[in-house]
Each structure stands twice: as C-alpha cells, then as structure tokens.
Amino acid sequence: MNAKTPINAVLAAVTTLAVSPASAADSAPESIVFSGEVTPKLYSFDYFKDTGPRRTQFLERYNYQEGGSNDSRSGLYLDADLRIVGSNEKRDVFVLERQGFGAYNHRGMLKANSDTLGLAGYYSNFRTSTGGLNFLRSPGVVDQVYGVGTGTAPAYATPVGAANTQTGYAARFNNDDSAQTLFKVDRTSYGLGLALKPTLFGTDFTAALNYDGYKRDGNRFATYVLGGSNVTNAGAGAPDLGTQQRWRGFNMPVDEKMNRYTVNLSGVMGGVTLAYDGSVEKFESQARKFTIADPATVQPLVITSINPIHFVPDSTLIANNLRFATRFGSTSVAAGYGLSILEQDSFSAQQRTLGYDTGKIRTDSAYLNVSSSAINGVGLEGFIKYNNRDNDSSFPVVGLIDPAGDQTLGVRINSIKSLNYGLAATFRPSVWKTTMSVGWRHEDKDRDLTWSTARIPLVGGVGNVILPQQSFYREQSKSDELYLSLVSRPMQGMILRVTPSYLWADETGLVAEPEKVFGLKTKLTYTASNGMLASGYYNYRDRKNGNNSIASNTAGALPTGTPLTQDMHGTQQSAGASLNMPVSEWINTTASLSWMQDDFTSYYLRQGRRRFEAPNNAISFIFNDRPEYKVDTHVLTLGGNWQVNDLLRYNGDYAYSKSKGHAATGAIALALPEIDERINNTVHTLTLGVDYEISKKVKLKGAYVYEYYSDQVYHDMTSGYHALMFGVTLGF
C-alpha cells in the first residue's frame, strides 16, 4: 500500500496536529508514509501435573491463561498483534502498537512526534493469581501433615482448653473463613503525555504534561489477629477460648484506583538551568471496609466492635520539586528543594465515631552538589542532602483501640530527620587507561519517638503497652562509608570494573540497619574484533549488626533485666559469566551461568507473653536458638538463532534454575521440619520459535513454550505448562 490508501489517509489526518510545522513560514509538511502489520494468533495451552482446577499451581501465578470455554487448565484462544508506523524524512512521526497474550495479558502504546510536539500514550492489562497451593502449607492446615487436631505443629500449639498462662502465644492459624482457594487480581495501568519542545517557544524552554493511572480489581486472601478484648475470656486459670480465635483468614475484595497528574518545566535563564516537577496523586479504594463486627456475626467468641480490619484509607499526595544547576568556570553547582504532603482522605468507622479526621505526613528535602576539575587531572565532588519526614496526624487518639487509653500499644514516629554528606575525588592515572574515584559518605538519622505509657491506667504502674526496652527500635542512627571505584582498560576491547566499600555505624535505630558492611563489586568484559562478547562478574556483601538489644522487665514496673543482643549476620554472594558468540554471519549463540547465595543468621528470642502485656505481668526474653537461612541458586541459560536464508529463521532459548538450601536450623527446623526447614526446587523453561516469509507482506510465525517446576520438598506443588502459538503477519 502507499500513502493514498484509505487507512493511511485516516492515520495521516490523526497525526496532522502533532506533525505540523512550528509556524506558517515553514515549508509545507513533509509527506508521511504509513506502513504496518497485523498478526492474528492462535494459542493452545495446557497446565499439567497439578492438583486440579480449584487450586492455583506454581507456574500459573504470573502466567494466567483461560481458554474460550473459561477453562483455566487447557484450551484455545485467539489474539492479535498490531503495529502501524508513519514516517517522514526525519523520523517516525506516528507509532501505534498492540501486543496480546490472551484476554488477561495485553498491552499497547501510541506515539506521535514532530519538531514542536510529542504525544505518548500507553495501557497494560495483567492478571495475577494467588491463593492456591500455598494454602496446603499454611499453619491452619498443618494437621494434614502431623495428623493432629490442634491446627498447628505440636511444638507450637496451645492445647484446646489450656489455661491462659505465659505460654500459648506462638503462631496459631485457627481458621480459614475464605471458603475458596482461587484468588485473582486484574491490574490495568494507563497514561497519556504531551511534550512541548523548545522549537515551539523559540527558546530553551520545554514543558511536559503527563497523566498516569491504574486500577486493580479482584480479591485476595487476608489474615487478621484477634486477642485481648476482641474475644471472650473465661478468666485467669480457665481455658483460653480467645486463643482459638486469635488468627483467622478471609476473602477480601480489591477495588482501587490511582490517578496522577504531573507537570515538568525546564529552561535556561542567564546561564542557570532551572527545572520544576509538580504532581498531584489521588488514591481511592472502593472495596468493602471490614470491621471486627463482620467476623463476629459468624464467630460467637468474637466481641462485636467497629474496629477496622485491613483498613486502607483514600489519600492525596502533592509533590513539588525545584532544581537548578549552573557553572562557574571549571566548577559546577547543582541544588534542589522538594516538598511533598500526603494527606488521608477517608477514615474508618471507628475514627469517624471518635471524631478524628486528621492524617497528614509532610516531607521536606534539599540537596547541594558541587563538582570541580580546577586541579589538573583531579576531579573533586561534594554533596549534602537533608530530609525531614513529619507526622502531623491526630495524636493521641483516645478510644481508638481501647476506650480508656490512647492509640498505640508501642511507639509513634513523630518525625524522621536525616542528614547525608560526603566527598569524592577522581583520578586518571596513565596505567591501563584507569579512572579511579575515592569517596566518603556520612549519614545521621534522628527519630522523634513517643512511647505510649498508659493504655489502661493502673494504680502504681503503667498499662498494657510495649516499653522501649522491649523493642529493637532506637532513635539515633549514625554511619560512615568509604568506597573506591576503579575502571581500567588493560587491553583493546577489555574493561575491568572494581568497587569495594566499607560501612560502619556507631548507632543503629533498627536491626535491619547494618552496623558493619563490607561490599565488593567486580565486572570484566571483553569484546573481540569478530563480534564475540564475553563478561564475568563477582559480587560480595557482608552485613552485621549487634548494636540493638532487648531486655526483660518485672511485673508492674520498669526496671530492665539482662539485655539480649539481636546479633544479625547476613552474607550475599553472586557470580556469573556470559558469552555471546557469532558462529557465522547467519548463526549467533549465547550462554550464561550464574550463582547466587543468601546466607543469613540471627538469634531467635523467645518470650513468655505478648509484649504489650508486660507492664501488668513479668516478661522474660531468652535465647532459644540461632537458626540459619542459607540458599544457593544456580541459573543456566542457552540461546541461539539461525537465519537459514532470507526467508526462514529459527530461534531457541533454554533456562535452568535450581534453588537448594534450608530456611531454618536447630530448634525451629525440628519443630516444623516439613514447613520451614528445606528448600529444593528446579525450574526448566524451553522456548522455540520459527519465522517464515512467504512474501514481502505475508509471514508465518510459530512458537512453542514448555515450563516445568519440580519441588522436592512440597511434591504436590510440582507442575508443568506448555503452549503452542501459530500466527500470520499481514503487512500493508
């Protein structure tokens, strides 16, 4: 076809605005030639070796398929790809594309481009599945493994009818009220953007307006924990009926959307580059709001109340960022300031009843970066960053959890302030054409915390709260880091990169914040004159933290006992090599092998009571074990393509992945060996494809995909999938 065909005439009209010249003085618009192709496709798929259509198998979670008869196990369905391109002598001025992989997995994009304007749009629809075989391994059905009726493993169970003493607060999943095992969520994202180019204004000024949004619909499995005043209690020494209702699960709908509007402005004034980004983002959830009153209607031990369960508020986020950059001779300066306000727009029934209607978080941030090459052969850089996150929500909120006390059982974060600064120097020694950077970074983080002290007032003491010595949360964090970045070219086509670093912290506010970290990243690449590309890498990261401790207390008072340190140690390693080898002008092959290891250990501390009960009752923390998590993963990939002639092309890829190790050792592994101890699974993926050109406007396409997941621990999770696609591409 040519530019005079009906479809090209229509598309030319659509793009007239975007591709028109900047002014009438310009020459007539260049002619636009449209071309394109449409590919109807027929898919055949089959999920095999699973436990049936009522349970989501492992390979199905992020590859949901459904045939024409609504069969999610095997079937046929039709789909189509579309691509239309309009081009002139300068560029592609119009691109429309759609890719389809079934009714629940497809995406598309639109672009229009000219000297003065740019227009872009996109959409994507994707379905995920959950809530399948993982139910077989939830604590609520462990009795299928152990043959007991307690609902959990014997070592963790509180026998039915046991007294409410210091034991029996371990993990206990009592019931699944969802009455189903299939959960699906559809996510549709979309957006549209308009760019105004400098030629439109005749200056260096640019502007962009963008809209982005998404919508999520479906349902998910949600758990909730009841206890204390939420369930009936027969009193001290009597059976703890509340324990039987403490951890439950139910079917929770998902119905939410987000809309974000963004403006970007930039330009140059008097040698200073200025930029502004502003956005307004609205999040809304239309799903049903659950309260404890909902499960109370079917669970007689649950006390009816309007306390929320999994309440997600609507919110509005307003963000503003202003940046500038300039240069003074050999010195460059860049700075910026940002302000964002996140405000809660909807409130739970309990919050509305109590009259609380304020939920706001304000974040201020600023940075300054200075770099200079004033010294010959040496580059210097310094930076400073400041961030302050302030919690301006209602506090205290008496009655939200308990009629006699405030909102928290633990700690309120009033604000978090952080200050980062650092220096770096770059050298370029003549050896191996090397570039070397040496740097130092420092971070101070200050948390303003308020600990609740009187949830239920007591005579001569405090109420049911979590005390500071019962938490690993601290107010101060301070750390320093030294690093070296080295890039060398020892020989033609070879590049070596080495980046070691070391971080140490005098104080950490969280166990997750490392006290000591040694890191190393290395990469070596080589490109040969014949087109061969080879590369290899090795990364190492060792993290430790022994700064934080937790302590026991005595009944009704605050003195601490012997502190116990939560000594955390984690090591992550990865290594790999890849090779891209062109065998001939018509054949190309690729191969890669990688290894990853995650090795983590930390103390498992045990206590006799839930921590928020400690002010009324003594609580003791003891070392129970030091379980270790260690998993090795190996991945092998092979690929190639063969252009047999100008008309026929084959391609194929194979991937093998194996993860093996243990998730627990010692007492934890002995208590739940079937659930927590071992990891041993393998995934095979094979993809074959063929393209055959019948004529310049007609091509045949075929593809075959095979996947197989083998689990040597949970054998009923072993499953497979294969699919066949046949398509015809028609060009115009």
Side-chain angles (χ1 to χ4, degrees):
M1 292 185 178
N2 54 47
K4 295 182 180 180
T5 57
I7 187 172
N8 283 282
V10 172
L11 294 174
V14 172
T15 57
T16 298
L17 176 62
V19 301
S20 61
S23 67
D26 292 328
S27 60
E30 298 102 345
S31 61
I32 304 173
V33 178
F34 284 92
S35 62
E37 58 184 31
V38 59
T39 307
K41 299 183 294 184
L42 174 64
Y43 283 89
S44 171
F45 73 94
D46 178 51
Y47 284 99
F48 60 93
K49 200 173 183 178
D50 55 28
T51 57
R54 295 306 302 165
R55 293 191 183 276
T56 303
Q57 64 146 279
F58 179 83
L59 295 173
E60 189 182 9
R61 296 188 177 209
Y62 295 98
N63 186 24
Y64 184 88
Q65 301 284 313
E66 189 172 290
S69 58
N70 297 323
D71 189 344
S72 61
R73 279 296 164 267
S74 64
L76 299 170
Y77 63 87
L78 289 170
D79 213 320
D81 295 344
L82 174 68
R83 179 174 173 82
I84 300 174
V85 179
S87 304
N88 60 19
E89 291 80 359
K90 293 182 178 181
R91 61 175 69 88
D92 290 341
V93 297
F94 179 86
V95 179
L96 175 64
E97 187 173 273
R98 193 262 186 190
Q99 293 179 308
F101 308 93
Y104 303 104
N105 185 1
H106 48 92
R107 54 186 176 267
M109 55 83 68
L110 167 68
K111 288 184 179 180
N113 197 11
S114 75
D115 292 334
T116 57
L117 299 174
L119 179 68
Y122 70 91
Y123 91 93
S124 174
N125 179 265
F126 189 68
R127 169 175 285 189
T128 58
S129 297
T130 59
L133 291 172
N134 58 317
F135 277 79
L136 299 178
R137 302 300 167 185
S138 67
V141 291
V142 175
D143 56 340
Q144 297 180 12
V145 177
Y146 288 93
V148 295
T150 59
T152 188
Y156 281 70
T158 299
V160 175
N164 181 11
T165 61
Q166 291 190 18
T167 61
Y169 294 112
R172 180 186 174 90
F173 190 100
N174 302 99
N175 285 286
D176 171 16
D177 300 325
S178 67
Q180 70 176 88
T181 58
L182 293 177
F183 296 88
K184 307 180 187 68
V185 174
D186 289 293
R187 179 186 175 102
T188 304
S189 56
Y190 35 82
L192 185 66
L194 175 64
L196 310 179
K197 300 182 180 181
T199 51
L200 181 65
F201 306 99
T203 66
D204 292 327
F205 179 79
T206 64
L209 304 174
N210 295 282
Y211 164 76
D212 298 278
Y214 75 79
K215 183 173 178 61
R216 295 176 70 240
D217 294 285
N219 58 335
R220 67 183 182 91
F221 181 73
T223 61
Y224 61 96
V225 180
L226 298 175
S229 61
N230 299 131
V231 294
T232 60
N233 193 330
D240 182 13
L241 302 179
T243 302
Q244 302 172 32
Q245 305 294 322
R246 185 154 289 130
W247 184 7
R248 308 189 68 90
F250 68 104
N251 180 6
M252 185 172 185
V254 176
D255 184 2
E256 62 187 34
K257 62 180 179 180
M258 184 278 295
N259 296 292
R260 180 172 61 244
Y261 306 88
T262 306
V263 58
N264 310 100
L265 307 173
S266 64
V268 179
M269 299 178 59
V272 179
T273 301
L274 298 172
Y276 168 78
D277 301 320
S279 65
V280 177
E281 179 179 310
K282 295 278 292 185
F283 171 84
E284 297 179 36
S285 176
Q286 304 299 320
R288 177 186 175 188
K289 307 298 191 295
F290 287 86
T291 68
I292 292 180
D294 297 303
T297 59
V298 294
Q299 303 299 335
L301 295 180
V302 178
I303 299 175
T304 300
S305 75
I306 59 174
N307 288 69
I309 299 178
H310 291 285
F311 174 73
V312 179
D314 299 340
S315 61
T316 300
L317 174 64
I318 300 176
N320 298 274
N321 293 280
L322 179 64
R323 308 182 304 277
F324 82 88
T326 189
R327 189 174 184 87
F328 303 96
S330 59
T331 301
S332 298
V333 179
Y337 170 75
L339 168 65
S340 66
I341 298 176
L342 176 63
E343 190 153 8
Q344 183 174 337
D345 296 332
S346 64
F347 298 84
S348 68
Q350 180 81 331
Q351 290 173 321
R352 293 194 302 269
T353 299
L354 296 173
Y356 297 112
D357 57 0
T358 301
K360 182 185 294 185
I361 295 177
R362 170 178 172 141
T363 302
D364 295 88
S365 59
Y367 75 91
L368 173 66
N369 189 89
V370 180
S371 59
S372 176
S373 57
I375 302 176
N376 187 30
V378 179
L380 299 175
E381 183 177 3
F383 77 92
I384 183 171
K385 297 179 181 179
Y386 171 80
N387 190 82
N388 180 27
R389 178 179 179 271
D390 185 61
N391 185 359
D392 192 30
S393 58
S394 300
F395 183 82
V397 286
V398 176
L400 184 61
I401 293 179
D402 190 278
D406 65 28
Q407 69 168 8
T408 65
L409 299 177
V411 59
R412 167 188 160 94
I413 305 174
N414 302 312
S415 66
I416 301 178
K417 298 179 181 179
S418 64
L419 181 65
N420 297 265
Y421 48 88
L423 298 171
T426 301
F427 308 90
R428 292 176 175 83
S430 58
V431 180
W432 288 357
K433 299 180 181 179
T434 299
T435 300
M436 181 174 63
S437 297
V438 181
W440 160 75
R441 288 187 284 255
H442 177 82
E443 180 183 55
D444 279 344
K445 186 175 292 184
D446 183 16
R447 303 171 181 86
D448 180 18
L449 308 179
T450 297
W451 293 87
S452 180
T453 58
R455 178 172 175 254
I456 302 177
L458 300 175
V459 177
V462 296
N464 285 352
V465 295
I466 297 176
L467 304 174
Q469 69 263 29
Q470 299 160 11
S471 170
F472 288 112
Y473 211 10
R474 303 292 182 265
E475 293 188 342
Q476 300 292 330
S477 296
K478 293 183 179 181
S479 65
D480 292 271
E481 182 180 15
L482 294 176
Y483 64 91
L484 170 68
S485 178
L486 183 73
V487 181
S488 295
R489 295 166 176 82
M491 57 182 290
Q492 182 67 30
M494 181 176 289
I495 301 177
L496 172 66
R497 302 176 186 272
V498 181
T499 307
S501 63
Y502 179 71
L503 180 146
W504 68 98
D506 297 328
E507 299 177 75
T508 55
L510 302 171
V511 176
E513 293 178 335
E515 175 191 0
K516 296 178 181 178
V517 180
F518 173 73
L520 176 65
K521 293 184 177 181
T522 64
K523 185 176 182 180
L524 180 66
T525 60
Y526 176 69
T527 305
S529 57
N530 64 352
M532 182 195 75
L533 175 62
S535 66
Y537 69 91
Y538 173 73
N539 298 327
Y540 177 86
R541 184 175 175 85
D542 186 85
R543 304 170 69 249
K544 298 179 180 179
N545 189 341
N547 279 346
N548 304 90
S549 62
I550 195 167
S552 308
N553 77 293
T554 57
L558 294 178
T560 63
T562 302
L564 301 180
T565 299
Q566 181 64 67
D567 189 9
M568 179 274 292
H569 185 198
T571 301
Q572 293 177 315
Q573 298 184 77
S574 62
S578 64
L579 177 66
N580 187 319
M581 174 68 75
V583 179
S584 69
E585 181 181 357
W586 303 96
I587 301 175
N588 189 61
T589 60
T590 62
S592 68
L593 178 65
S594 62
W595 163 73
M596 294 161 283
Q597 183 187 83
D598 190 0
D599 188 352
F600 179 86
T601 182
S602 182
Y603 285 127
Y604 174 70
L605 304 179
R606 186 181 68 185
Q607 74 269 9
R609 288 187 175 274
R610 290 173 291 186
R611 284 182 293 170
F612 63 82
E613 294 182 305
N616 295 335
N617 303 279
I619 182 171
S620 298
F621 297 94
I622 61 173
F623 289 130
N624 193 71
D625 196 7
R626 189 178 177 87
E628 181 185 25
Y629 173 97
K630 187 176 183 179
V631 177
D632 289 89
T633 300
H634 296 83
V635 179
L636 170 68
T637 64
L638 301 172
N641 57 77
W642 178 21
Q643 189 75 45
V644 180
N645 51 48
D646 291 338
L647 305 179
L648 180 62
R649 182 176 186 269
Y650 295 107
N651 61 79
D653 296 282
Y654 170 73
Y656 166 86
S657 175
K658 183 174 182 62
S659 297
K660 187 175 182 179
H662 53 261
T665 57
I668 308 304
L670 291 174
L672 293 174
E674 184 71 17
I675 306 302
D676 285 348
E677 182 186 14
R678 293 180 295 146
I679 295 174
N680 190 356
N681 55 66
T682 304
V683 181
H684 300 267
T685 303
L686 174 66
T687 304
L688 301 174
V690 58
D691 295 338
Y692 181 69
E693 184 176 307
I694 296 179
S695 67
K696 291 296 183 181
K697 295 183 179 180
V698 180
K699 298 178 183 178
L700 301 181
K701 293 186 176 183
Y704 173 73
V705 177
Y706 171 86
E707 291 185 280
Y708 189 75
Y709 173 79
S710 176
D711 199 311
Q712 301 303 310
V713 180
Y714 311 138
H715 299 287
D716 47 11
M717 293 186 69
T718 296
S719 54
Y721 163 81
H722 57 119
L724 183 65
M725 184 277 291
F726 176 76
V728 180
T729 299
L730 306 174
F732 53 85

